[in-house]
Amino acid sequence: MSDLPHCPACDSSFTYDDGLQYVCPECGHEWSREANEAAVDDTPQVRDANGNPLADGDTVTVIKDLKVKGSSLVVKVGTKVKNIRLVEGDHDIDCKVDGIGPMKLKSAFVKKA
């Protein structure tokens, strides 16, 4: 029973399989297996400025001069950033830039190398 999904309406863990659909005995909500599989595959992906999907460990190149807040340093165009980590939030790339240190970048200002 642990491999069945929780009810999307009431988050009950007592769902059961009824052939082609799942049923929640607590609230009576019914939903199809295809809808549940589509919801699982609908996770947001982080994409670069060109629309390519990014993943942890990728190498990216900065496409615009970026001022470092609180400093006089600038990340120049063409700077390669290796071994990125994807995080939640507005600045969705956590990385270490050579010569500057650890920082967060927006995926809109990088392209996959």
Side-chain angles (χ1 to χ4, degrees), residues 24-102:
C24 176
E26 291 186 1
C27 69
H29 182 71
E30 299 177 357
W31 68 100
S32 66
R33 287 185 178 183
E34 291 82 22
N36 189 50
E37 291 171 1
V40 170
D41 294 338
D42 196 25
T43 57
Q45 284 189 338
V46 177
R47 297 189 176 270
D48 68 358
N50 295 333
N52 299 320
L54 296 174
D56 287 344
D58 282 347
T59 300
V60 296
T61 305
V62 177
I63 62 170
K64 178 182 176 182
D65 282 345
L66 302 173
K67 295 179 184 178
V68 178
K69 194 172 192 176
S71 171
S72 63
L73 299 173
V74 175
V75 180
K76 296 286 187 179
V77 172
T79 302
K80 282 195 175 185
V81 180
K82 299 177 184 176
N83 198 19
I84 64 169
R85 283 187 312 146
L86 302 178
V87 294
E88 295 289 322
D90 189 33
H91 292 76
D92 45 11
I93 297 175
D94 194 13
C95 61
K96 183 177 179 184
V97 179
D98 290 337
I100 296 177

Side-chain angles (χ1 to χ4, degrees), residues 1-7 10-18 22-26 31 36:
M1 190 167 189
S2 64
D3 60 338
L4 294 175
H6 289 243
C7 176
C10 69
D11 200 34
S12 171
S13 62
F14 300 113
T15 58
Y16 63 90
D17 188 5
D18 188 27
Y22 296 117
V23 179
C24 176
E26 291 186 1
W31 68 100
N36 189 50

